[in-house]
Amino acid sequence: MLAMGTIVLLCFLLFSCKQDDYYNDGGLAKAEFDGTIMDYLASKPREFDTIVSIIKLAGLEERLSQEELTFFAPRDEDIKSLIGSYTNGGLNAELYQLNLDTIVNLSDVNPEIWEKFLLRYMFKGKNKLADYPQVDYNLLNVYAGQNYISMANTVCKIGVIFNDAVSSDGTSNLKYMGYRQLSIAYIRDLSNPDDFRNIKISSSDIQPRNGVVHVINYTEAEFGFSEGEVRQDIIESKR
């Protein structure tokens, strides 16, 4: 009976480990990509067409093609949500109300602003999910993740959430034995480091030749990790 229980546990652990890598909403993302980070983004126009455009406007194309780095990739939806329309409460609606030039083309935004906020997603070196420590946002005194400095000199708490494993009938629960999912949280005010909102990664460990890409879950995210800061910078630049 003990041997059988051991076998079942080992099978369960093996299944859990298979889900650790490249986790993508219950599926697996292709691990390796034969090209640069920039090539990878350009190969996925449905997700990153707008992001690729602002990377080029920001003058960051060479960095994402040559430097060794980890890129937490935002999705096009974050830019669309930021700019919005004249009626949906987005940035264009606010600019219109302030009698400032609205954004018709992405080039209508100062490229230094695009650069500033894109650099928040970029970290030196290659870091896959397995390279980050565990984080439990309900137990940060034990599993705190770790703070990392982005290329924008901003700080983000990054860690791996060890989800619980629940039996199919819902009667048993194994703490931290379920799938693992990477998360990132921008710390806006270092004097108040516990004030942040963590965002889950939908696809992790995508590996172009010059680094690692982790794709951010756009349903939880804001561009630059803080849409309010981006909007304020753009508004000030148009006054």
Side-chain angles (χ1 to χ4, degrees), residues 1-215:
M1 191 72 176
L2 179 60
M4 179 61 71
T6 302
I7 292 171
V8 171
L9 178 59
L10 287 173
C11 290
F12 178 79
L13 291 174
L14 179 61
F15 176 79
S16 297
C17 289
K18 287 181 178 178
Q19 296 230 40
D20 289 350
D21 296 331
Y22 332 121
Y23 180 74
N24 180 19
D25 295 340
L28 298 177
K30 186 177 179 181
E32 296 181 356
F33 179 81
D34 187 19
T36 67
I37 292 175
M38 198 68 197
D39 292 334
Y40 172 74
L41 298 173
S43 75
K44 303 287 183 181
R46 184 165 176 260
E47 294 89 356
F48 303 118
D49 186 58
T50 301
I51 297 299
V52 166
S53 294
I54 64 173
I55 286 171
K56 292 179 178 178
L57 288 168
L60 294 174
E61 188 174 6
E62 185 174 330
R63 265 194 168 180
L64 288 166
S65 299
Q66 298 183 7
E67 294 187 25
E68 183 178 276
L69 56 88
T70 300
F71 185 51
F72 284 80
R75 290 268 299 264
D76 285 1
E77 287 85 354
D78 295 338
I79 302 296
K80 294 171 184 175
S81 174
L82 167 70
I83 296 173
S85 67
Y86 297 112
T87 59
N88 72 350
L91 175 59
N92 265 342
E94 190 171 358
L95 290 170
Y96 181 78
Q97 291 171 359
L98 293 170
N99 292 317
L100 298 173
D101 291 338
T102 55
I103 300 168
V104 178
N105 302 300
L106 295 170
S107 58
D108 293 334
V109 174
N110 187 324
E112 292 181 358
I113 294 175
W114 290 136
E115 179 187 20
K116 171 184 175 179
F117 290 101
L118 282 169
L119 286 172
R120 288 186 177 181
Y121 297 102
M122 298 164 62
F123 298 81
K124 292 181 180 179
K126 298 181 180 181
N127 284 296
K128 298 193 296 182
L129 180 149
D131 297 316
Y132 293 105
Q134 182 177 355
V135 65
D136 184 337
Y137 292 101
N138 297 314
L139 202 62
L140 287 174
N141 60 323
V142 179
Y143 300 111
Q146 186 172 325
N147 290 345
Y148 295 83
I149 300 174
S150 74
M151 291 185 175
N153 289 319
T154 54
V155 177
C156 288
K157 180 182 290 293
I158 305 176
V160 181
I161 299 170
F162 285 45
N163 289 279
D164 296 345
V166 182
S167 62
S168 58
D169 60 6
T171 58
S172 60
N173 183 79
L174 293 175
K175 189 71 172 173
Y176 300 139
M177 297 301 293
Y179 68 87
R180 299 175 186 180
Q181 189 166 21
L182 192 59
S183 72
I184 185 169
Y186 164 59
I187 299 176
R188 180 174 181 174
D189 182 1
L190 293 179
S191 67
N192 189 14
D194 294 328
D195 182 19
F196 57 79
R197 182 170 65 90
N198 66 293
I199 301 166
K200 295 184 179 68
I201 302 306
S202 61
S203 298
S204 64
D205 288 14
I206 301 160
Q207 297 165 56
R209 288 197 299 260
N210 66 311
V212 180
V213 175
H214 305 296
V215 181

